[in-house]
Structure formats: C-alpha cells, structure tokens
Amino acid sequence: MTSKVLLVDDDVAVREALAQTLELNDLEAVTAASFVVAKDHITPQFDGVIVSDIRMPGRDGFHLLDYAHEIDGELPVILLTGEGDIPMAVRAMGRGAFDFLEKPCAAADLLAVLERALKTRALVLENRRLKVQLESGDPAARMLFGSSPQSLELRAKVRSVAPTGAEVLVTGAPGSGISKVAEVVHLMSEVGQGAFVKRPGAGLTATEFDALCNAGAGGSVFIDEVSALPEATQYAVLDRLERGAGTRMIAGSTADLAKLVDAGTFNAGLFYRLDVMRVRIPTLSERREDIPELYQHYVAQAAEQAGIEAPELSSDHLAALMAQDWPGNARSLMSAAMRFVLGMPEEVTESAGLGLAEQLAQVERSLLIAALGRQNGRAAAAAQALKLPRKTFYDKLTRYGIRPEDYRRPGRAVDEV
C-alpha cells in the first residue's frame, strides 16, 4: 500500500509537526508551503494523498482541492479547518474533500483518516493498473511466448513474483532472454509505470550503482550478469538494499551464483538477498515444441524490421529447426529468423545435412518428450494425445531411451492405467 502524504500548510511549525507525526508512523511526508509548490506533485500517477490547510495566502485549500480533482477526480484530499468552523467543513465536503479535520488535530485522528485515504488511493491505482493490463494484454502473455508446460510455468512464476516488490533473480542460459523476463517482472509490478533502468554488472562502481538507483527511483533497476560486479560494488549493493534502495532491484545471471559463493568469488549475503525470488528461464532444448511458435514470431518481427513481406514457412523448415539443440537459445533462434528473412537460412541447410531419417528421429523424440511433459509423465495419456496405439508409443519410448517418470513434476498425482 502507498504511504506518501503531500502536506500543504503555510505555517512552517504546523507543517514540520505534521511531517514528524507521519514519519514516526512510517509514512512518507512530502511538504509544501503553498499551492504553487504543491501543484508540481499533483499528477494522475501521484501514489499518495493530500492534506492541506484551507486558509493560506494566495491560492487557498479550496483552490488546491479543485485543482487536484481537475487533474485526478479520485485523488483523496483532506482539508484542515479552524476549530469550530463547521460551515467551512460542510463546504469542504460539498466540494469533494475526502474528509476534514479541525486544527489542531490529534495524531490518532489524523492517522485514522490517512489510513482510510491511503487504502482508497491504493485501490484506485491498482484498479487502474489492472484496467490497463486488460486493455493492453497481460505483459507476460504479450512478451513471453510458448505453449509448452515450461513456458506456462515461466509465465506463472513471473506473475507470482512481480507484485511482491521483493528483489528478483532471473537466471538462464546465455541468449535465453533474461533481460526481457526482467522487464516483464517490472511491467507487472506496482512500479510498472516507472522507469526501467538497466546496466551490465561488469565494471559497475558503487557510485554508479547509487546513480542508477536514483535514476530508477519509483521504478526498477536491472543489473545484467550480476556475477560480474566488482567485489566492492557487491558490498555496496547489499548495503543499499538493506538500507532501502528506493527502487525495485532485479538481477540477471547466466552463471551459477551458488557455485561462485562456494568458490568465494561472489558475496554470500548478496546472493541470499537476491535469491529469495528466483525466476529460471528454460532452455530451448527443454521446450522444443515452442520453437515453431517462437520462430514464426521472430520471422514476422524480422520481416517488419526489414520492410519486406514475411516468407512462407514449410513444415520441413520448422522440423529442421526443432531438430537442433540451439545452445544460443532464443537469441540464436532470432538471428536465424533474421537470416531466413534475408535469404540466408544456413541452420536449416546444416540440419538437412544430417539426413532425413536423422532429422525426423530428432523431431519425433522431442515430440514424445513434449507430450510426456504436458501429461506429467503419464504415458497412457501422452499416447492418447499423440493418437498412437499404446504399444507403438511404448516401443518408441524404448527406442529413444525415454523414461516417463523423468517427466513427472512433484506435487501432481499420477494415475497410470
């Protein structure tokens, strides 16, 4: 829930006393001595509420109330009135004030009203965020492609960690799309409308990291290849996170950080801080059935970038792609799509050199594994899904050395007949 309060009062003593009360109760006070100063903070994205005195020189509290509701009609404004000034209070409520309090107001009364106002504001902003997602589509669905069980689990994991606000560690093989997954985590978080600042960890100094946090205030900072951070910077990052970074921290790594910790080359404290929320990206070899969908998307994207019509894709072409291991993962598949669009599909030519029987065998094996994965290792269900007689299916498993139990996920019941 948001905790920001914009305090507007021309009396410096009152303003400072109210600010101190808020800070003692873990609320963030933003102070302003006049409407002119306060108006720069009032935007539709302002993630807080306003408390303002009514009687001020120049533009008074009623003018501020009207201005705030012109900018955002759902922004709670609490007005402070003089003691016993009931007509003024009635006028305030009639003009749309969230509530009013008499000066001097008791801390308990102020905090009770603020709690209601902040909950209301948080609900409004959350509803707006959900509405934007509904209108534009879920970022995980729009940006993370694939229909395999591994891809479904990846999207589910991203959706579960994004709203938490905690640090996130995104891991995967080189070229698997760590940066994109980190961006989706950012977009689906409560700070998704804020900045997404990214920087490679290699050579990043402590001073530069502080500058990144300042640039990403109200948003997220993504450090790619966090394992490459200099030792001094690792300590600085941990210290800043423990003190409060003021931004969402997302780290990416293709290296096994646990092994680096054991080897003494990565800060253990920082690793355990980052590893609370981990998102692992599966390799393409783990989800071969996604390759046609991904490749078609990349071909369409490459054709649009090149300003030419996307070439047709044959089933043989897609089969050849599925037969490869793709150690470079999504990045190398994307490069292959660009080369194909430009008339240079050497990957397919190389796979074709394996011979048709070898290519078909690789594709058949991957389809068997994919079916078992979708059915949680249930061989009978996988055979039915592939429309194969059970004996034929088991013969193929034996031929390729595939064991159904290797594809059963913990926590899922298996009823095999």
Side-chain angles (χ1 to χ4, degrees):
M1 187 179 76
T2 181
S3 61
K4 188 179 295 183
V5 180
L6 174 59
L7 289 174
V8 190
D9 198 310
D10 63 302
D11 188 323
V12 63
V14 172
R15 194 167 67 243
E16 291 181 353
L18 289 174
Q20 186 177 44
T21 298
L22 298 185
E23 289 165 0
L24 288 173
N25 288 274
D26 297 323
L27 297 176
E28 179 184 352
V30 179
T31 60
S34 66
F35 164 78
V36 174
V37 177
K39 69 181 181 65
D40 291 336
H41 296 281
I42 302 173
T43 68
Q45 294 78 35
F46 179 65
D47 59 341
V49 301
I50 301 173
V51 175
S52 175
D53 189 14
I54 290 181
R55 300 184 184 278
M56 295 185 293
R59 304 294 177 90
D60 62 11
F62 285 119
H63 183 86
L64 185 147
L65 173 64
D66 293 340
Y67 177 83
H69 284 173
E70 285 178 10
I71 299 297
D72 184 347
E74 297 179 292
L75 178 56
V77 179
I78 302 160
L79 293 177
L80 304 177
T81 68
E83 186 175 359
D85 196 346
I86 302 301
M88 187 75 78
V90 172
R91 184 182 168 199
M93 298 300 289
R95 290 176 69 163
F98 182 85
D99 209 334
F100 69 91
L101 292 167
E102 291 185 358
K103 293 171 63 178
C105 57
D109 294 338
L110 174 63
L111 294 171
V113 172
L114 284 175
E115 182 179 9
R116 287 192 296 110
L118 288 166
K119 285 182 178 178
T120 300
R121 185 59 174 169
L123 182 61
V124 165
L125 294 177
E126 175 65 10
N127 286 339
R128 288 179 185 174
R129 187 178 69 83
L130 292 174
K131 183 180 178 182
V132 169
Q133 282 191 7
L134 287 173
E135 291 175 349
S136 60
D138 178 80
R142 285 188 293 107
M143 299 173 67
L144 303 177
F145 302 101
S147 55
S148 66
Q150 294 87 347
S151 292
L152 295 177
E153 288 178 12
L154 173 62
R155 288 195 288 271
K157 185 68 173 180
V158 167
R159 291 182 181 119
S160 69
V161 305
T164 65
E167 291 82 24
V168 177
L169 176 62
V170 184
T171 66
S176 58
I178 290 175
S179 179
K180 177 180 279 190
V181 170
E183 185 175 5
V184 173
V185 170
H186 163 72
L187 291 173
M188 298 191 70
S189 70
E190 293 184 356
V191 296
Q193 300 300 313
F196 179 66
V197 182
K198 54 185 178 180
R199 169 73 193 270
L204 183 68
T205 67
T207 302
E208 289 170 338
F209 176 72
D210 282 339
L212 285 180
C213 290
N214 294 333
S220 302
V221 167
F222 170 58
I223 304 298
D224 199 8
E225 294 298 356
V226 69
S227 62
L229 282 173
E231 183 178 2
T233 308
Q234 293 178 30
Y235 283 101
V237 171
L238 177 60
D239 179 65
R240 175 101 186 204
L241 292 177
E242 291 180 341
R243 288 186 291 109
T247 183
R248 177 80 179 269
M249 175 69 177
I250 306 173
S253 179
T254 58
D256 187 332
L257 295 184
K259 288 184 177 179
L260 296 182
V261 169
D262 291 341
T265 57
F266 192 79
N267 185 291
L270 179 57
F271 168 65
Y272 294 122
R273 179 75 188 234
L274 296 174
D275 199 41
V276 174
M277 294 286 178
R278 183 191 295 196
V279 178
R280 178 188 173 273
I281 307 171
T283 63
L284 280 187
S285 61
E286 295 176 76
R287 48 182 183 129
R288 292 178 188 274
E289 65 198 275
D290 287 336
I291 289 175
E293 180 183 346
L294 290 169
Y295 190 74
Q296 290 176 63
H297 169 72
Y298 294 149
V299 164
Q301 190 177 62
E304 183 179 353
Q305 291 174 355
I308 58 179
E309 187 175 345
E312 292 186 8
L313 291 167
S314 68
S315 56
D316 289 343
H317 187 121
L318 294 175
L321 295 171
M322 291 178 69
Q324 297 180 64
D325 289 332
W326 298 102
N329 291 286
R331 186 178 300 148
S332 58
L333 188 65
M334 190 182 303
S335 298
M338 176 62 79
R339 288 190 287 271
F340 173 71
V341 168
L342 298 177
M344 300 177 292
E346 68 270 17
E347 280 84 2
V348 177
T349 302
E350 291 170 3
S351 289
L354 294 174
L356 181 60
E358 289 85 355
Q359 290 185 57
L360 291 176
Q362 287 191 26
V363 172
E364 185 177 60
R365 185 178 189 277
S366 68
L367 291 175
L368 293 169
I369 290 172
L372 285 169
R374 282 195 300 271
Q375 301 300 331
N376 192 34
R378 293 179 300 157
Q384 185 177 2
L386 292 174
K387 297 181 174 58
L388 286 174
R390 192 177 300 185
K391 183 179 185 306
T392 302
F393 182 81
Y394 277 102
D395 287 343
K396 290 181 181 293
L397 295 185
T398 302
R399 182 191 311 163
Y400 295 115
I402 299 171
R403 300 190 312 164
E405 58 266 32
D406 291 341
Y407 302 94
R408 291 173 187 160
R409 297 185 293 279
R412 296 277 297 275
V414 178
D415 299 318
E416 194 63 71
V417 179

